Amino acid sequence: MKSKLLLILVFIFTISIYGQEYENGTIVTKHYDTISNVKIEKLSEAKSLLHINYIDEAGNEQSPDIETIKCYNRGVDIYCRIYNSGEMILAKKVVNGEKLNLYERNINGSTTYYIEKVYDELIKVPSSSNKFKKVIGSFLSDAPQISSKIESKQLVDIMEIVNLYNKG
């Protein structure tokens, strides 16, 4: 009797560990069709940029080609297709600001950031500190106080810079 109970507990434990987690979400396709009230599978950051699986309102599991998705939100996380140097990529939106958006793309342990002036230009954030101060300082030249602090290396955290720019 104890062995049967133990076997059942091990079976339930195994199912719970390997069970998939889903979060409520919304998907917007490249053709701007909106798929609402879906349960999107919770994947790692890197996999979320390459795959999407969801359960639709009818309870059917769907796995569309990631290239057909413009953006989707899963819980509080937002993933958007952005254009960088003519290439379309999917990135996680870290800051959704009124003036400036910040995107993050983490592939193979390497994190790349992109900033976008809302309804305007998008640039890749340089990883080199010298290029960072020149490129970001120039990109945000319409905010002279922030730009000068970037160029003097007083501001070096991209998240802080984006938040300050959105407040100003």
Side-chain angles (χ1 to χ4, degrees):
M1 182 67 177
K2 285 185 180 181
S3 63
K4 285 183 182 182
L5 182 60
L6 183 61
L7 184 61
I8 291 171
L9 288 174
V10 168
F11 178 73
I12 292 171
F13 180 73
T14 304
I15 289 174
S16 68
I17 287 177
Y18 291 104
Q20 297 171 332
E21 289 186 47
Y22 290 85
E23 288 189 83
N24 293 332
T26 302
I27 301 168
V28 178
T29 68
K30 283 176 40 177
H31 300 291
Y32 294 96
D33 296 325
T34 301
I35 306 167
S36 302
N37 301 321
V38 295
K39 300 276 187 190
I40 300 175
E41 185 177 5
K42 192 171 183 176
L43 301 170
S44 70
E45 289 293 319
K47 286 183 180 179
S48 294
L49 301 173
L50 303 172
H51 307 285
I52 183 170
N53 300 317
Y54 69 92
I55 298 174
D56 62 19
E57 286 184 292
N60 300 318
E61 188 166 342
Q62 307 285 332
S63 297
D65 184 359
I66 198 70
E67 298 296 322
T68 65
I69 306 299
K70 176 159 180 41
C71 66
Y72 72 93
N73 74 299
R74 182 187 67 215
V76 296
D77 294 334
I78 301 171
Y79 296 88
C80 297
R81 189 160 303 286
I82 59 175
Y83 296 92
N84 177 51
S85 303
E87 180 185 7
M88 250 183 10
I89 59 173
L90 198 62
K92 181 179 179 183
K93 189 180 270 190
V94 181
V95 174
N96 187 14
E98 291 181 22
K99 301 176 187 178
L100 206 61
N101 294 322
L102 177 65
Y103 299 93
E104 173 184 84
R105 185 165 166 86
N106 189 336
I107 300 286
N108 299 329
S110 175
T111 303
T112 304
Y113 291 97
Y114 301 86
I115 56 174
E116 170 191 49
K117 288 186 179 175
V118 176
Y119 305 113
D120 200 359
E121 186 180 3
L122 175 123
I123 65 167
K124 182 178 178 181
V125 175
S127 55
S128 154
S129 64
N130 285 335
K131 280 188 175 181
F132 180 91
K133 71 178 187 173
K134 289 177 187 173
V135 171
I136 304 303
S138 174
F139 187 69
L140 302 178
S141 62
D142 57 324
Q145 291 177 342
I146 295 172
S147 181
S148 64
K149 286 182 179 180
I150 293 169
E151 290 172 1
S152 68
K153 293 186 177 183
Q154 288 177 309
L155 283 174
V156 293
D157 179 32
I158 193 64
M159 186 79 77
E160 181 182 4
I161 291 167
V162 168
N163 287 328
L164 283 172
Y165 187 89
N166 281 326
K167 287 179 186 174

